[in-house]
Amino acid sequence: MWKILNGLAPNSISVKWCHNDRLGIRATLPPIPRSRSKLSAFENSFLVIGPRLWNIIPAECTMSSSQVAFKSNLQNSLDTVPDIPPVGNYVTKNHNSLLDWALERQRSGGR
């Protein structure tokens, strides 16, 4: 996504960007198709997951001016996310995805 934003990769999925002073650069999600039968495959595509993941990373990552700074800021951000993979037959808090942890943080009042 950072490469698409900065013109280093083609924007073949037509991501649209908007700047937010508090949240940084945000990606606009594409419209959801009406057909429920195709919804799951669509929701799991890069077209949807890419912008969702981009929008949960902190502004200091999205506003990074170089790829090295972006990677460093992203790693620092990821270091704060728990890594608790599910273990067979045990109930877990979530599926251990970044989107699940972001939702968990939002519910608890954090960013």
Side-chain angles (χ1 to χ4, degrees):
M1 296 295 293
W2 186 88
K3 285 185 174 185
I4 292 173
L5 172 66
N6 289 284
L8 300 174
N11 189 359
S12 56
I13 59 173
S14 301
V15 173
K16 298 196 181 356
W17 306 95
C18 62
H19 180 76
N20 180 302
D21 290 334
R22 187 174 61 84
L23 300 174
I25 300 169
R26 313 304 279 172
T28 303
L29 291 171
I32 304 292
R34 293 183 188 259
S35 170
R36 285 296 305 165
S37 62
K38 296 179 182 177
L39 189 58
S40 180
F42 179 75
E43 285 180 331
N44 291 322
S45 69
F46 181 74
L47 179 65
V48 174
I49 296 295
R52 283 186 181 162
L53 288 170
W54 178 264
N55 289 340
I56 65 170
I57 61 177
E60 59 265 13
C61 294
T62 64
M63 305 284 283
S64 298
S65 58
S66 72
Q67 189 173 8
V68 171
F70 172 74
K71 287 182 177 184
S72 176
N73 290 334
L74 181 60
Q75 186 60 55
N76 291 338
S77 175
L78 292 175
D79 287 343
T80 67
V81 178
D83 186 16
I84 307 170
V87 179
N89 296 333
Y90 288 96
V91 177
T92 58
K93 198 177 233 186
N94 60 43
H95 297 306
N96 202 42
S97 76
L98 291 174
L99 294 171
D100 287 342
W101 283 115
L103 183 59
E104 191 70 34
R105 258 189 200 167
Q106 190 178 41
R107 285 182 187 151
S108 68
R111 163 78 183 120

